[in-house]
Amino acid sequence: MTTPPGDGALLRLLCEEAGEDALRASGAEDSLVGDALEIRARLAAHRSREAALAALYETAGDLASLRALQDVLQAIVRRARTLVGTDVAYLLLYDQEQGDTYVHVTEGITTEAFKTGRLAVGTGLGGLVAETAQPYHTADYPNDERFAHSDYVDSVIGAEGLVAIQGVPLKFGDQVYGVLFAANRRVRPFSPDEVELLISLANHAALAIENATLFEEVRKAATVHERLTAVALDGGGPAELARALAEVLRGTVSVLDAEGRPLAGAGVDPPRPDEFVRELATARARRASATRGTACATPVIAADEHLGTLLFVRGGLDASDVHALERAAQAVALMLLHERSVAAAEQRLRGELLDELLGAPHRDPEGLTRRAALVGLDLHRPHVVLVARAEDTGRRRRIADLAGAYALRRGGIAGEAGGDAVVVLPVERDPAPAPAPGAEAGTGPGEAARHLAGALGAGASGAVTVGAESAAPGAAGVAGAHRDAARCVDALVALDRVGEGACRDDLGIHGLLIGRADRGELDRFVRRTIGPLLDHDASRGSDLTGTALAYFTCDGSLTRTAAYLYVHVNTLYQRIDRISALLGPQWRHGDQALQVHLALKTHRTSG
């Protein structure tokens, strides 16, 4: 069997990849030319698939060799342009901080405006792909009404001369990182094979970004762990930890305590808690990092206890930073727990020392002096002793803890005695100038009492009454000052001055009465002056003593006194007559009125 003349020419032309016109002019039958053209199309498709597979294999090799992310993305865009056969290819990435997309890699793009362009999510073809995570394409973008056009996007695309555009999402799991594009400067449809190829390349790009993100997270976490371990081994505290975090993560850091107060900060202008109230509250409530824009609040938690928060601020904040902060929060938790245990042990020693100072100062004064020196307290110096009391017994433990921390910061000791918190603070040898408003007060007794009352009241969320007295050098001086400070608290409560801080000098005549005078003499003065009134109340269960004191408190006005006592004025007249019968008619007049009023106050303040 011989081959027709035209058939041999057809095979030769087919091997030489001649055009369709040359094939039809070969003299072969039309059916054979049709078969030849189909074979050519299949061979072309096969070569295209081989090229695509080779490109995907090379891309996988790039990922396996852990090349730089930018190099991998550039190679993917270059291969997309070559394999799909378009004029240009480019890649948009999602910007979490700005909430839009930006051009990251280009191939074949010539205009600078395009290379630096940004695209809002939902705008244009690329914005739609980023929003829906689905591929879209158009053969004629400028005239395609399916997309939300904008003057900015259309001008950038028009300046580059792009017409046919295909976009596919860079998607890994549920995370969309951006969009991969292939585009032409003429009208041109995209085949299903080209779309599938672009999707495969986009998946590799998303995988590269995911791998780079995970690698960066591991690198940052390892670096943070290494630096924080070094800080811990060197005995560093929150300040050193904040500096290490600021250096590693290249941002600003604030370490906050459980109440949201700054413990330490590092970096230029460390973040202030009052500027990130919502993030701090969210992090504490959810027990997880809360981010907004450039800021991240990461809770410091041990077991079920909230110990504090790390507040970090930096432009371009990403998931690797959050992961590193969460690792750092674990180190901070261990550090704070260690500091607490050390402080608790030291506070126990200080509390035991205070018990001996108050209970048995004369037993071994030299031994007490030596033991006080071990915790930094020099009993050869004068001190001020403060007694703090809250009417709510449920807050006493909290107040004692706050008082201990307060004393530790000021070089003193603290403990509990008789249900009250007791603080002993050293007095500065050289008097300091008056503090500025809002600054921490000095250690004069009245000033120290007022400052401690404010600090404990704020920390315990309720009124705390504080009495103070100066203590002479020596253990016995501390014990004596404690007795007078406790009497001062009694007087403040009796005088309806709960929540205040004061020393004896602040109480006027009452301060003299609660001093180190003979208590027996004071009791005899009270009995001589208002004894019949006290006996009547004791035997009848009445409170004529309170009525008489209210009368003087209201400056002798019967109307105001009745209102103060919540009684009818006629009832008050009957009580006044009964008091006059017991004390004599002159108890409201002249010198006797002064004596009765003073006796009533003395009785009240002495308990």
Side-chain angles (χ1 to χ4, degrees):
M1 179 177 180
T2 60
T3 302
D7 294 353
L10 180 65
L11 291 175
R12 177 176 53 79
L13 292 173
L14 188 61
C15 293
E16 294 174 354
E17 297 186 355
E20 181 178 349
D21 292 342
L23 293 177
R24 293 193 182 280
S26 65
E29 296 180 5
D30 290 344
S31 61
L32 292 177
V33 172
D35 292 340
L37 291 174
E38 183 178 352
I39 292 172
R40 169 178 288 179
R42 290 183 179 181
L43 289 173
H46 181 71
R47 285 195 297 268
S48 177
R49 283 195 293 272
E50 282 187 339
L53 290 174
L56 294 176
Y57 180 80
E58 290 178 6
T59 303
D62 291 341
L63 297 177
S65 63
L66 293 178
R67 289 174 54 187
L69 175 62
Q70 184 68 18
D71 293 340
V72 173
L73 296 181
Q74 187 70 59
I76 289 173
V77 171
R78 186 180 304 114
R79 287 163 190 159
R81 179 192 181 192
T82 301
L83 294 174
V84 181
T86 54
D87 297 327
V88 302
Y90 54 99
L91 185 147
L92 292 182
L93 289 185
Y94 180 66
D95 188 335
Q96 291 185 346
E97 182 178 340
Q98 300 293 331
D100 62 1
T101 58
Y102 64 97
V103 177
H104 185 69
V105 178
T106 66
E107 186 71 23
I109 296 295
T110 59
T111 57
E112 193 62 30
F114 198 106
K115 295 178 181 179
T116 59
R118 302 190 73 92
L119 183 65
V121 173
T123 301
L125 186 149
L128 185 61
V129 174
E131 182 180 47
T132 63
Q134 296 294 325
Y136 283 90
H137 63 87
T138 175
D140 186 6
Y141 177 79
N143 299 309
D144 197 328
E145 298 299 328
R146 293 178 299 162
F147 309 107
H149 290 263
S150 73
D151 293 340
Y152 166 72
V153 175
D154 287 354
S155 66
V156 171
I157 290 178
E160 188 63 37
L162 300 185
V163 177
I165 304 174
Q166 164 71 44
V168 296
L170 275 66
K171 185 177 180 182
F172 188 86
D174 295 330
Q175 178 71 37
V176 177
Y177 292 105
V179 183
L180 176 62
F181 293 91
N184 269 336
R185 295 187 174 93
R186 64 185 185 282
V187 175
R188 178 218 175 183
F190 292 91
S191 69
D193 288 342
E194 291 172 332
V195 174
E196 288 299 323
L197 174 60
L198 208 58
I199 290 175
S200 297
L201 289 172
N203 290 340
H204 277 84
L207 179 59
I209 296 173
E210 177 70 12
N211 286 345
T213 301
L214 294 175
F215 182 78
E216 181 64 11
E217 287 184 7
V218 172
R219 186 196 65 79
K220 282 186 179 179
T223 304
V224 166
H225 178 74
E226 181 180 348
R227 288 294 301 276
L228 297 187
T229 300
V231 169
L233 292 176
D234 291 340
E240 291 78 9
L241 181 141
R243 282 195 293 272
L245 275 179
E247 291 174 6
V248 172
L249 301 183
R250 298 180 182 178
T252 60
V253 181
S254 287
V255 182
L256 312 179
D257 66 9
E259 304 300 326
R261 294 182 294 259
L263 293 174
V268 179
D269 192 18
R272 294 168 44 191
D274 57 354
E275 297 175 349
F276 301 96
V277 174
R278 186 175 64 184
E279 289 71 32
L280 293 173
T282 301
R284 181 164 190 166
R286 297 180 180 176
R287 304 171 70 83
S289 295
T291 60
R292 175 173 64 90
T294 61
C296 177
T298 300
V300 178
I301 299 171
D304 292 329
E305 184 178 2
H306 179 82
L307 301 177
T309 309
L310 291 178
L311 186 56
F312 177 75
V313 173
R314 195 201 67 204
L317 183 72
D318 57 30
S320 64
D321 297 314
V322 176
H323 182 65
L325 285 169
E326 290 171 348
R327 290 289 299 271
Q330 298 174 6
V332 176
L334 293 175
M335 183 178 295
L336 293 178
L337 288 175
H338 175 70
E339 286 188 352
R340 176 191 291 180
S341 63
V342 172
E346 184 175 355
Q347 192 58 37
R348 281 196 299 272
L349 293 176
R350 291 169 178 262
E352 293 170 0
L353 173 64
L354 184 62
D355 289 342
E356 292 195 41
L357 282 173
L358 302 183
H362 301 290
R363 182 178 302 167
D364 183 12
E366 293 184 1
L368 284 175
T369 300
R370 289 194 301 271
R371 290 180 56 196
L374 293 176
V375 295
L377 196 69
D378 183 3
L379 291 181
H380 294 105
R381 295 175 55 181
H383 290 77
V384 61
V385 180
L386 303 102
V387 174
R389 179 182 304 165
E391 297 302 308
D392 180 8
T393 58
R395 292 189 296 126
R396 288 180 180 173
R397 181 67 261 169
R398 173 63 175 161
I399 291 171
D401 291 340
L402 292 171
Y406 183 93
L408 191 62
R409 289 196 304 270
R410 297 174 63 86
I413 62 174
E416 293 185 77
D420 297 329
V422 180
V423 177
V424 180
L425 300 178
V427 175
E428 299 296 332
R429 297 184 188 276
D430 298 320
E440 188 161 307
T443 50
E447 190 179 10
R450 286 184 287 276
H451 190 271
L452 181 60
L456 297 184
S461 302
V464 179
T465 309
V466 179
E469 184 58 70
S470 295
V478 172
H482 169 255
R483 287 191 295 271
D484 284 347
R487 292 171 184 168
C488 188
V489 174
D490 292 337
L492 287 170
V493 173
L495 295 171
D496 295 325
R497 294 174 59 179
V498 172
E500 295 186 26
C503 63
R504 281 191 303 139
D505 292 344
D506 299 324
L507 299 179
I509 186 65
H510 305 293
L512 296 176
L513 296 177
I514 64 172
R516 294 174 182 149
D518 185 347
R519 301 292 297 178
E521 184 61 33
L522 289 177
D523 290 341
R524 287 191 291 274
F525 163 71
V526 171
R527 291 298 305 173
R528 285 196 305 269
T529 308
I530 60 171
L533 204 59
L534 299 176
D535 293 339
H536 181 277
D537 285 346
S539 62
R540 304 290 182 87
S542 59
D543 188 21
L544 294 181
T545 303
T547 299
L549 186 57
Y551 173 81
F552 287 114
T553 300
C554 296
D555 299 323
S557 168
L558 294 177
T559 302
R560 288 168 53 197
T561 303
Y564 181 84
L565 295 172
Y566 298 99
V567 299
H568 194 275
V569 69
N570 291 336
T571 302
L572 179 61
Y573 283 134
Q574 295 173 7
R575 294 184 184 181
I576 294 295
D577 289 342
R578 186 57 184 161
I579 295 172
S580 297
L582 293 169
L583 300 182
Q586 297 301 314
W587 75 275
R588 293 191 288 165
H589 306 287
D591 182 66
Q592 187 173 351
L594 174 61
Q595 297 294 321
V596 170
H597 192 188
L598 187 57
L600 289 168
K601 284 286 191 180
T602 302
H603 173 67
R604 171 68 66 88
T605 57
S606 66

